[in-house]
Amino acid sequence: QAHCQGSVARFARGAPCARAMSPLSSGSGDNAFEDLLSRLLAEHLRVVSELAALREDDRAAAHGAGEAHCGQRRPCPQGVPPVPEHPEGPQDNSGAIVSVPSYVDESGRVWRQQTDASGQTHDVLEVPNALQNRGRVRMNPVKSRSCSTKVNGENRVSLDPKWHELYLANEAAAELAEASDRKANKLRSSRKLDYSLKAMRRRWRGKVCLRPHDRMRLLWDCMGCGLILYNIVMIPIELAWSLNSFIPMGALTFLYWLSDIVVSFNTAFVNEGLLVFSRRKVARDYISKRFLLDLVLTSLDLVILVGKLTPGTTAHRIVQVLRLARTSAVTRTSDNLEELCIDLGFPWLIVVYSVTQITVAVFLVGHLFSCAWCMISMVQRLDGEMGWVDFYDEELTVGRQYLRALTWVCGHLLSAPIDRTMTLRTDDDHVFANALIWVKLFVMGAAISKISGSIAEMGRVTAQSKDAKRKLHQVITKSGLNKDASARMIRFALHAHARKRETTVDPTVLSLLSGTMAKELVVSQRKRVLTTHPLFDHIREKHGDIFSTLCSIFKPLSFADHEEIFVHSTLSECVYITCMGSYVLNSAAGDTLAEFEDTRWLCELSLFARIFHTGTLATISFAESLTLTGNDLSACIRTSPVCVSTVYRYARNLLLESNIEELDLSFAHEVKNALEAAARPADIDLTQLVLTSQEVCGNNFGEVLGMCDAAQVETAPELIGPLLAFFQEVEPINGIYDCLDMQGERRRSLCAVSSIVLLRFGRKDLFAGAQPEPSRITHSQWAELRDFMEWVAPTEDMMYVALAFLVIRGLAKNKAVVNAVATTQRSPEQVLEMLIACMPAFVPSVEALSDKQKSLLHQSIRLHSTFNFAQFLQGENSPYQIKAFQQVVAEEGKDAFKVYLLQILGVMCGIRGDEDPYSSLFMDSKNAVTLITGLKVFRHLQNSSAPAVYWNYVASRAKQLHLPAEEAEDFVFARLACLCRGRQTAIEESRLAWAELTRNERRELTDYFLADGIVESNLVLKFLPAYLANSMDNPRVGIHAAMVVLVDLLELIKSAGFTQAGAANSLMVNVQELASFASKVSASSVFLALVGHLHFDEKDDEVTVSITSEHLQRISQRCWTEQPAQETATAVRRLRRQLDRLGNVAAPPNADAPHLPAGLGGWAGSVPIASSCVASVLYRQALV
């Protein structure tokens, strides 16, 4: 004990303890530090054991001392002025107050009868007895020296400033453009499709629907090509032997070419590199080129089909020969098929198609000449001459004649052996042979040229590959690399050369295309890969020109197998989109996170912020990817304000949705959520709206309200319908909500108005008509609400003002309204004030109010800006806010206060109004309990003290939740139950967590929860209910860890210089980011170390708690180790808690009461003193 007290005395003077610090300063290492820690712990445990032995003997004395001090205020420490008593209640002019003992009603509220000088008795709320004698050191928040206090000197991850600047420069233009687009879409959707004959004819005359290279058009041309080949084969045979045509095939041929005329009138054509879709131009082009020929040939098909010509006659032969003119159409189809082979991307397929094309052409030429020679022989026989067929000893059939003629002709064409018995006998035979020789020259020349060209092309490609291989081999040989490395490099180079040849266009050929066509070529190559990303696919749909430029600025990269693309802990500079190959993504520890071969995007956040890789990406096989930097993306979209706005909102939401630990690998649901949030329509410019306002006079509102016969109507719309004529904002067409596309807020406003009107007229059946039967509001709760309405006793002016506020309240949530009022203070109440003052045309309901009604409306809005009733219901604020609210209520008057409560009731009833605008789904039996309790307590706001109002509400909620409310700690737990929103499971978890806390932790939380801000300073943590709820919903956090971190946060706020001794006050602290972190963190160790990675920003008398960027990146890490300095600080806090738990064994039930005998004060103080000593030593070692 003497050693501990001496060490503490030295620490208090700022001098190091001789025995404690000498080992550290002498540099003896970890052994000296462990020896010091062991001695301190041994001394501490000895003191604890002695105190535990005395505990039983001192229990009776301590209990007696506690009773002796009951009802007395604890003396303030030296140097601190005494704390005044709580006010007993408001005083009258004479100041005479007569009080009687207080009593507790069935709801748990504490009442006291007060008699003034006039003899009148009033029931006022009284502070519960357990909280009346609380006296603690007052702490006053003061502004720190720096507006941005940082723990480790780092800022949060945020968007690159260039994106903020780009968005601000294009925000106004984007809002105007999006507003114009929404109006156009709304007008387009309102138009009905006209199905009249004239309208259909007008639409038909617009544009054609077929493209010349569509798959359906290609299939149609292939069918025509088959019919042409059939005619080329059959017409010569029919001419040679005077045979009749096959009627079914003739009919099919006629119907096809007749339909082809119609199809040709509906197919676009290419004119100077551009597709023409105009029906008039298409018709003009077709008529000027092929229509006349197609019409004549189709007519000839009809003549042959009808059978008007006899086979073998001259007319029949002429018609059949003319039908062969369709052979020219084969060329067009053949070119389309060759383009299809090229699109498939197989070089060998092009060679096969060329060889097949030459083979078919040679066969058809041989077939034509064979039939022609047979026809010459038949004509010679008819003329009485002998042809080549007559020189055979036997009679040849038609088939044998054709086969012998085909063998002889093909033999001459291909220089193959022929039948020598077939000789040229007549002059006609010699003329035929000469024609065959010349045709052979052209046919074989074209065939050889085409085949040699295809072979030369393949040889050129092979030569380029061999040349690249030879040059690379020379360099590798001189560099002295081993064979494995050289073989790997050569293999990669050949593969890269082949890929480059397939995907890259020769610059000479590319120069022949226009800029637009060159972009279209690049888009066709990369569209399939880029559209896998939702953002780029959205840009393609909405901004085609931006997408074409975006495709061209992506840079392709090639990687060999087992090559690292990026390494963890390095700066991420671009986004990667994988095109081909196999990849593996490893964590920093070497664990495999993902293996994939499909298209994925990685490191997407590097487009918008400065981040570091959290993993390593490597290739498994040869791979290719596309990369894009943030600077290139911003330069690409700079010309489109709407696209800039979309990308900016997408980036903002992506930073909120993304998994911070796995920054290298994006997930589809996160990107989808971000894109959906970014794709929502931006708020429009109010100056572009044109509202159709009507002349509305508010003087007759009371008459209309009095004429409403609530007993006769069967539905809520019938009852409130006449009243809605005074509120044009909620008109379904051309109302301000309709123009701003705020249908959800419009329905909530309607629900709030309906609920107030139904409450006034007592129509419970309509008020709760849509509520499920098990949770429907009870009769007693309805009676309480009706009793509240009778207490308010709203006049016509109060009713009109309350409904007008409920109607216009939702407008303050719209971004366009906030921007239009051009106010720096953007709270909803201030936005409403500015909107009424600057733009009255957009709130015609307020414009129709009288001066008295407008004054009452402004008074109620001021009350809303002063006090947040929803925070009061959750126990989030403190008595300090209620006292400030009392002062404003005293200034504004009782009527404004009643209107305020009436508006609160309407707002709460309309929370789920978007589901049903004429029945309150939210105000069921569960939610009505909390609201009714708060309204009943607030009815006594003007004649009770602020602490009495606040703590009686907490006591009533404790009674409803079956919790005790007798001791000070009971009220702490009751307020904690309010913060947990009254959930039974949360209350049970909180009870267990509270029992696990140490004595000092419970004392710290007790001081925080019971501080009222009036006689003692307090902190109001905004979003504390969300923080607790998210912690309980996250199984890796829990309510106990949330309380431990909360204690650390409270201590850190005090040590950061935001509080110091002085006058009492209240400080607002925003912990929204901590609440979000608690819902997403994946490891309890990361969450418990949170307090060491915080920094504070103070602005407008509010402190915002933020998490450093380094710690945000650990939000998804399941295994994490703290840095040595921070780990030591965390170990200090844990050690203090362990020592506190040991101290709990010897601690008396109430440490604040002077219960120990005289002379044992030093022994009792040694427990926390030893903890402080150990903590100080460890902290100094951490700094070293």
Side-chain angles (χ1 to χ4, degrees):
Q1 177 186 4
H3 169 66
C4 290
Q5 290 178 345
S7 300
V8 171
R10 295 184 179 91
F11 277 123
R13 293 194 301 267
C17 176
R19 294 178 57 189
M21 298 304 296
S22 57
L24 297 179
S25 59
S26 62
S28 58
D30 295 336
N31 294 331
F33 178 73
E34 292 177 358
D35 180 62
L36 168 65
L37 182 60
S38 301
R39 292 200 306 270
L40 290 176
L41 288 178
E43 195 70 25
H44 175 75
L45 292 176
R46 185 181 64 80
V47 175
V48 169
S49 61
E50 294 180 4
L51 288 176
L54 295 176
R55 182 174 183 180
E56 294 297 331
D57 298 337
D58 296 337
R59 184 181 299 277
H63 181 68
E67 291 181 351
H69 286 78
C70 181
Q72 302 179 8
R73 297 188 57 82
R74 185 176 45 184
C76 296
Q78 185 177 3
V80 179
V83 179
E85 295 288 342
H86 282 286
E88 295 296 331
Q91 300 179 355
D92 57 5
N93 295 332
S94 62
I97 297 179
V98 180
S99 302
V100 297
S102 58
Y103 63 93
V104 182
D105 64 2
E106 67 279 359
S107 299
R109 291 172 295 182
V110 181
W111 297 90
R112 176 173 52 82
Q113 292 185 352
Q114 176 178 297
T115 304
D116 56 16
S118 61
Q120 296 181 353
T121 303
H122 307 279
D123 286 342
V124 297
L125 292 173
E126 177 71 3
V127 178
N129 295 331
L131 303 178
Q132 287 184 358
N133 296 323
R134 296 191 69 254
R136 287 184 295 275
V137 178
R138 297 175 296 175
M139 305 297 292
N140 177 50
V142 295
K143 293 186 178 181
S144 60
R145 297 179 180 179
S146 174
C147 293
S148 178
T149 305
K150 302 178 182 179
V151 175
N152 61 356
E154 290 191 5
N155 294 320
R156 298 181 54 196
V157 172
S158 59
L159 281 178
D160 195 302
K162 68 172 180 290
W163 288 104
H164 293 288
E165 298 173 1
L166 187 61
Y167 173 72
L168 293 177
N170 294 272
E171 182 180 12
E175 291 179 355
L176 290 177
E178 291 177 348
S180 177
D181 292 341
R182 284 198 304 274
K183 287 184 179 180
N185 294 334
K186 187 175 181 180
L187 181 61
R188 191 180 301 112
S189 61
S190 63
R191 294 175 179 173
K192 296 183 179 180
L193 190 60
D194 190 0
Y195 291 98
S196 62
L197 182 60
K198 178 186 278 187
M200 294 177 66
R201 188 177 302 164
R202 183 173 59 252
R203 289 195 296 271
W204 184 84
R205 289 175 181 173
K207 295 183 178 181
V208 296
C209 57
L210 290 179
R211 295 173 179 265
H213 302 291
D214 285 347
R215 295 295 176 89
M216 294 300 298
R217 177 65 189 184
L218 182 60
L219 181 61
W220 179 262
D221 290 340
C222 289
M223 293 174 58
C225 186
L227 292 176
I228 292 175
L229 293 177
Y230 172 81
N231 289 333
I232 293 175
V233 173
M234 294 306 300
I235 288 177
I237 293 176
E238 293 172 2
L239 291 175
W241 287 280
S242 301
L243 302 176
N244 292 323
S245 300
F246 188 54
I247 295 178
M249 287 302 298
L252 179 61
T253 302
F254 171 75
L255 292 177
Y256 172 84
W257 292 112
L258 184 62
S259 303
D260 184 72
I261 295 176
V262 180
V263 173
S264 298
F265 274 111
N266 291 273
T267 303
F269 69 98
V270 180
N271 183 24
E272 297 180 357
L274 298 177
L275 278 176
V276 179
F277 291 92
S278 174
R279 192 177 298 276
R280 180 175 299 178
K281 294 181 180 180
V282 169
R284 186 185 300 116
D285 180 81
Y286 177 59
I287 291 174
S288 63
K289 292 181 179 179
R290 296 188 298 108
F291 173 73
L292 184 60
L293 178 62
D294 290 346
L295 184 62
V296 171
L297 295 179
T298 305
S299 302
L300 296 178
D301 292 337
L302 181 60
V303 171
I304 295 298
L305 180 63
V306 173
K308 296 295 183 180
L309 299 177
T310 303
T313 61
T314 303
H316 182 268
R317 290 188 179 122
I318 293 174
V319 170
Q320 291 285 48
V321 171
L322 291 177
R323 290 178 63 197
L324 293 176
R326 284 202 181 98
T327 308
S328 61
V330 177
T331 305
R332 183 178 69 252
T333 306
S334 177
D335 295 339
N336 293 337
L337 289 175
E338 187 174 0
E339 292 178 5
L340 179 61
C341 294
I342 294 175
D343 293 338
L344 294 177
F346 299 104
W348 60 267
L349 188 60
I350 300 175
V351 177
V352 171
Y353 177 76
S354 300
V355 173
T356 304
Q357 190 178 14
I358 293 171
T359 304
V360 173
V362 172
F363 169 76
L364 291 178
V365 171
H367 171 72
L368 290 174
F369 275 89
S370 300
C371 293
W373 199 15
C374 292
M375 187 178 66
I376 292 173
S377 178
M378 296 299 296
V379 172
Q380 289 175 347
R381 179 180 295 180
L382 292 176
D383 293 340
E385 300 178 3
M386 294 183 64
W388 64 270
V389 177
D390 298 326
F391 289 94
Y392 284 92
D393 296 333
E394 57 182 355
E395 184 69 23
L396 298 177
T397 61
V398 173
R400 297 181 68 184
Q401 293 178 20
Y402 174 76
L403 182 60
R404 292 178 184 273
L406 182 62
T407 303
W408 190 85
V409 171
C410 290
H412 279 282
L413 287 175
L414 301 177
S415 300
I418 60 175
D419 187 3
R420 297 296 180 181
T421 60
M422 299 178 62
T423 58
L424 304 175
R425 306 285 182 175
T426 62
D427 293 338
D428 294 333
D429 294 342
H430 286 85
V431 172
F432 171 79
N434 288 323
L436 180 61
I437 293 172
W438 287 103
V439 171
K440 172 186 176 181
L441 179 63
F442 289 105
V443 171
M444 298 309 298
I448 294 173
S449 175
K450 193 171 184 65
I451 293 178
S452 62
S454 300
I455 296 176
E457 179 65 22
M458 296 183 64
R460 184 178 63 84
V461 173
T462 305
Q464 291 178 354
S465 301
K466 290 182 178 179
D467 184 60
K469 179 180 179 180
R470 179 179 55 81
K471 293 179 180 179
L472 184 61
H473 186 71
Q474 292 177 355
V475 176
I476 292 175
T477 303
K478 294 180 180 180
S479 61
L481 289 176
N482 55 37
K483 293 184 178 180
D484 294 337
S486 61
R488 183 168 176 265
M489 289 184 180
I490 292 175
R491 186 174 66 252
F492 174 78
L494 294 177
H495 198 168
H497 180 269
R499 287 290 302 169
K500 183 178 180 181
R501 186 182 64 253
E502 296 174 0
T503 58
T504 306
V505 183
D506 189 0
T508 306
V509 178
L510 193 61
S511 63
L512 301 177
L513 302 177
S514 64
T516 303
M517 291 182 177
K519 289 183 179 180
E520 290 181 1
L521 180 61
V522 177
V523 169
S524 64
Q525 292 177 335
R526 299 178 177 177
K527 178 176 67 174
R528 181 184 61 83
V529 176
L530 297 186
T531 51
T532 57
H533 193 287
L535 176 62
F536 299 144
D537 187 48
H538 176 80
I539 294 177
R540 180 187 63 83
E541 294 178 357
K542 302 297 183 181
H543 315 280
D545 54 341
I546 299 295
F547 182 75
S548 60
T549 306
L550 187 64
C551 291
S552 61
I553 65 176
F554 267 90
K555 298 179 180 179
L557 295 178
S558 300
F559 304 97
D561 51 346
H562 304 290
E563 181 178 351
E564 291 182 345
I565 299 177
F566 56 76
V567 184
H568 68 87
S569 302
T570 58
L571 182 64
S572 179
E573 299 179 348
C574 58
V575 60
Y576 296 86
I577 299 183
T578 60
C579 300
M580 63 167 295
S582 302
Y583 301 84
V584 58
L585 182 64
N586 299 322
S587 65
D591 300 330
T592 300
L593 299 178
E595 291 186 5
F596 53 92
E597 297 180 356
D598 54 343
T599 300
R600 296 195 183 186
W601 56 93
L602 303 98
C603 311
E604 183 185 9
L605 287 179
S606 61
L607 294 174
F608 313 109
R610 179 183 172 88
I611 62 172
F612 291 86
H613 294 293
T614 58
T616 300
L617 180 67
T619 60
I620 301 177
S621 62
F622 179 86
E624 286 185 355
S625 64
L626 298 175
T627 61
L628 178 68
T629 63
N631 293 331
D632 293 339
L633 178 61
S634 61
C636 176
I637 67 175
R638 187 179 299 273
T639 56
S640 176
V642 178
C643 189
V644 169
S645 178
T646 301
V647 173
Y648 176 80
R649 293 196 299 265
Y650 168 81
R652 293 286 301 273
N653 290 280
L654 182 66
L655 288 176
L656 297 177
E657 295 287 341
S658 292
N659 194 331
I660 301 300
E661 177 195 6
E662 298 171 343
L663 293 176
D664 294 324
L665 187 61
S666 300
F667 296 93
H669 70 277
E670 297 168 353
V671 176
K672 181 180 179 182
N673 295 340
L675 183 63
E676 289 176 354
R680 285 194 290 264
D683 301 314
I684 63 177
D685 189 357
L686 290 180
T687 59
Q688 304 297 319
L689 295 179
V690 179
L691 301 179
T692 58
S693 60
Q694 302 174 359
E695 191 69 25
V696 177
C697 180
N699 296 330
N700 58 351
F701 177 81
E703 299 177 4
V704 177
L705 184 64
M707 294 172 58
C708 294
D709 192 356
Q712 299 298 326
V713 298
E714 298 181 357
T715 60
E718 296 179 14
L719 179 60
I720 69 171
L723 299 177
L724 294 182
F726 296 90
F727 309 109
Q728 298 178 37
E729 293 85 351
V730 294
E731 289 291 332
I733 299 177
N734 292 331
I736 183 65
Y737 284 105
D738 177 61
C739 295
L740 293 174
D741 291 334
M742 300 177 64
Q743 293 299 329
E745 288 298 329
R746 172 184 167 274
R747 293 169 67 88
R748 277 187 280 270
S749 299
L750 282 176
C751 184
V753 171
S754 302
S755 301
I756 296 299
V757 174
L758 294 175
L759 266 172
R760 186 183 187 278
F761 290 105
R763 291 299 301 269
K764 178 178 178 293
D765 55 333
L766 301 180
F767 181 89
Q771 297 178 3
E773 186 63 34
S775 60
R776 183 169 296 180
I777 188 172
T778 64
H779 293 287
S780 59
Q781 292 172 342
W782 178 257
E784 293 281 358
L785 292 178
R786 289 283 295 161
D787 179 67
F788 169 76
M789 291 294 293
E790 293 179 0
W791 174 79
V792 173
T795 62
E796 297 174 358
D797 292 343
M798 296 170 61
M799 195 73 176
Y800 194 8
V801 169
L803 298 184
F805 173 83
L806 296 176
V807 166
I808 68 173
R809 174 181 173 272
L811 298 177
K813 302 178 182 180
N814 187 270
K815 182 181 178 181
V817 176
V818 176
N819 294 335
V821 298
T823 175
T824 56
Q825 304 294 335
R826 298 197 170 189
S827 66
E829 293 79 15
Q830 291 168 334
V831 171
L832 281 182
E833 290 280 6
M834 296 298 297
L835 181 63
I836 295 172
C838 302
M839 307 179 69
F842 293 94
V843 282
S845 300
V846 178
E847 192 67 14
L849 297 176
S850 63
D851 294 339
K852 179 181 177 182
Q853 293 168 345
K854 290 181 180 180
S855 176
L856 187 59
L857 176 63
H858 288 294
Q859 291 172 354
S860 64
I861 292 177
R862 185 190 175 195
L863 293 180
H864 281 282
S865 63
T866 305
F867 188 77
N868 192 323
F869 194 81
Q871 292 181 352
F872 167 73
L873 295 180
Q874 294 183 126
E876 190 173 352
N877 49 24
S878 66
Y880 175 81
Q881 281 74 32
I882 296 181
K883 183 175 181 181
F885 184 63
Q886 283 179 327
Q887 298 175 356
V888 179
V889 169
E891 297 174 1
E892 302 298 342
K894 187 175 182 179
D895 289 345
F897 174 62
K898 290 185 175 181
V899 170
Y900 165 81
L901 294 181
L902 192 61
Q903 293 166 350
I904 289 294
L905 177 59
V907 170
M908 300 291 289
C909 291
I911 288 179
R912 293 178 60 185
D914 55 334
E915 302 176 35
D916 191 331
Y918 297 106
S919 178
S920 180
L921 286 172
F922 179 80
M923 199 53 59
D924 54 9
S925 58
K926 179 181 178 180
N927 297 321
V929 174
T930 305
L931 179 61
I932 291 174
T933 303
L935 292 176
K936 290 175 68 175
V937 171
F938 251 56
R939 287 166 61 174
H940 303 276
L941 181 74
Q942 295 178 294
N943 58 2
S944 302
S945 64
V949 173
Y950 187 86
W951 293 115
N952 274 279
Y953 168 75
V954 175
S956 299
R957 290 293 292 146
K959 184 79 172 180
Q960 294 165 359
L961 298 174
H962 308 289
L963 299 175
E966 299 177 358
E967 303 295 334
E969 193 168 294
D970 295 338
F971 282 88
V972 173
F973 193 76
R975 185 181 173 189
L976 186 61
C978 295
L979 290 168
C980 295
R981 297 163 181 171
R983 296 187 300 176
Q984 290 297 330
T985 56
I987 293 175
E988 294 300 325
E989 293 179 7
S990 302
R991 191 192 306 276
L992 297 177
W994 183 266
E996 295 178 4
L997 295 176
T998 65
R999 180 185 59 183
N1000 287 343
E1001 290 171 345
R1002 287 198 297 267
R1003 179 186 302 166
E1004 187 71 27
L1005 290 179
T1006 300
D1007 290 345
Y1008 163 69
F1009 282 120
L1010 297 185
D1012 55 12
I1014 300 175
V1015 298
E1016 50 195 341
S1017 177
N1018 78 322
L1019 301 174
V1020 178
L1021 301 184
K1022 297 176 63 176
F1023 301 98
L1024 181 59
Y1027 168 78
L1028 297 175
N1030 293 342
S1031 300
M1032 284 184 285
D1033 294 339
N1034 191 341
R1036 297 179 180 87
V1037 178
I1039 186 62
H1040 178 263
M1043 291 183 180
V1044 171
V1045 173
L1046 181 60
V1047 172
D1048 293 338
L1049 176 63
L1050 296 175
E1051 294 177 351
L1052 185 61
I1053 292 175
K1054 294 179 182 179
S1055 63
F1058 290 101
T1059 58
Q1060 68 177 14
N1065 210 330
S1066 180
L1067 178 65
M1068 302 293 292
V1069 180
N1070 191 326
V1071 295
Q1072 184 178 10
E1073 188 162 329
L1074 271 67
S1076 177
F1077 188 86
S1079 65
K1080 299 179 180 179
V1081 67
S1082 300
S1084 59
S1085 59
V1086 176
F1087 182 77
L1088 290 174
L1090 186 63
V1091 71
H1093 302 274
L1094 301 177
H1095 64 84
F1096 306 98
D1097 298 314
E1098 187 175 8
K1099 183 179 179 181
D1100 297 335
D1101 297 331
E1102 179 176 314
V1103 176
T1104 300
V1105 182
S1106 302
I1107 306 173
T1108 61
S1109 60
E1110 180 183 1
H1111 204 64
L1112 279 176
Q1113 295 183 3
R1114 305 175 184 133
I1115 192 171
S1116 298
Q1117 294 183 3
R1118 299 182 182 274
C1119 299
W1120 171 75
T1121 303
E1122 180 63 286
Q1123 296 179 357
Q1126 296 290 348
E1127 185 178 9
T1128 305
T1130 304
V1132 168
R1133 291 193 298 271
R1134 293 178 180 175
L1135 179 60
R1136 288 185 56 188
R1137 295 191 180 98
Q1138 294 297 330
L1139 296 178
D1140 288 341
R1141 288 189 177 94
L1142 294 175
N1144 287 341
V1145 177
N1150 186 3
D1152 291 337
H1155 55 279
L1156 293 178
L1160 291 180
W1163 291 76
S1166 65
V1167 175
I1169 287 174
S1171 302
S1172 301
C1173 180
V1174 174
S1176 301
V1177 173
L1178 289 176
Y1179 181 69
R1180 295 193 180 188
Q1181 174 68 3
L1183 294 181
V1184 173

